[in-house]
């Protein structure tokens, strides 16, 4: 019986070691590179890199690819707007609320400095759009309270369900 207990204890200990060595690292370090099956939105603002995990894909009259984090006075958000017939390729960002169904647009919040301001120039480049994901890159700039803001080195992957 003692031998059986030792064998069971050793089996349990070995199993625990194997499971702990295989656990995933879910840290939110900005230098993490998302895996191929994960959604993300990453960008640089004021020389600092930010990452939103699990951005949303919202469709109505247009497609909204939205990443956000924080609440109240730490809220940060990027919304990339595209037509429902989103196509691969490079698309200029055009601020035109009358044509949400045909133009590519972007809005940016970085509370408390910037609250839901529209980009007035930039590019959204859709590199993949299939039944599993939408991927691409972006950069844009605009004006808020008389100050210019610039978002660079943006990239995203939206996993479709």
């Amino acid at each position: 019986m003692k031998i059986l207990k030792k064998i069971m204890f050793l089996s349990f200990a070995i199993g625990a070691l194997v499971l702990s060595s295989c656990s995933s690292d879910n840290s939110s370090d900005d230098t993490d590179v998302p895996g191929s099956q994960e959604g993300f939105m990453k960008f640089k603002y004021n020389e600092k890199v930010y990452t939103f995990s699990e951005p949303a894909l919202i469709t109505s009259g247009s497609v909204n690819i939205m990443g956000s984090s924080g609440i109240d006075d730490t809220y940060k958000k990027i919304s990339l707007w595209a037509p429902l017939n989103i196509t691969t390729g490079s698309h200029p960002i055009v601020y035109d609320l009358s044509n949400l169904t045909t133009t590519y647009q972007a809005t940016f919040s970085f509370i408390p400095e910037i609250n839901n301001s529209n980009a007035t120039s930039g590019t959204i480049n859709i590199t993949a759009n299939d039944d599993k994901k939408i991927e691409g890159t972006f950069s844009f700039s605009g004006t808020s309270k008389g100050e210019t803001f610039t978002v660079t080195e943006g990239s995203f992957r939206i996993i479709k369900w």
Side-chain angles (χ1 to χ4, degrees):
M1 189 64 145
K2 283 186 173 189
I3 293 176
L4 184 58
K5 284 183 181 179
K6 285 182 182 181
I7 292 172
M8 288 180 65
F9 175 76
L10 287 173
S11 297
F12 177 75
I14 291 170
L17 284 173
V18 168
L19 286 176
S20 68
S21 68
C22 293
S23 68
S24 65
D25 179 11
N26 291 327
S27 69
S28 61
D29 182 1
D30 288 342
T31 61
D32 285 349
V33 175
S36 64
Q37 299 303 312
E38 298 172 359
F40 70 92
M41 182 178 280
K42 193 178 223 179
F43 63 98
K44 187 183 276 188
Y45 173 66
N46 284 344
E47 300 303 316
K48 184 173 178 190
V49 175
Y50 296 89
T51 302
F52 300 143
S53 59
E54 300 179 30
L57 178 65
I58 304 163
T59 57
S60 183
S62 60
V63 174
N64 180 4
I65 299 166
M66 185 182 83
S68 65
S69 69
I71 58 171
D72 298 331
D73 61 347
T74 64
Y75 185 63
K76 297 166 183 52
K77 175 186 72 122
I78 289 181
S79 285
L80 304 174
W81 299 87
L84 287 175
N85 63 342
I86 190 170
T87 59
T88 58
S90 183
H91 307 280
I93 291 175
V94 178
Y95 176 64
D96 184 355
L97 295 179
S98 68
N99 286 320
L100 285 177
T101 60
T102 59
T103 60
Y104 289 77
Q105 301 186 44
T107 58
F108 183 57
S109 291
F110 205 89
I111 304 296
E113 302 94 43
I114 301 168
N115 187 11
N116 210 35
S117 290
N118 296 299
T120 54
S121 65
T123 304
I124 298 173
N125 184 27
I126 306 299
T127 57
N129 181 16
D130 56 37
D131 60 341
K132 295 180 182 178
K133 68 183 176 309
I134 298 176
E135 289 183 320
T137 61
F138 60 92
S139 62
F140 58 81
S141 62
T143 304
S144 176
K145 300 176 190 171
E147 297 291 322
T148 299
F149 63 86
T150 302
V151 173
T152 60
E153 300 177 34
S155 60
F156 65 90
R157 178 183 304 120
I158 301 290
I159 304 302
K160 295 180 181 177
W161 297 102

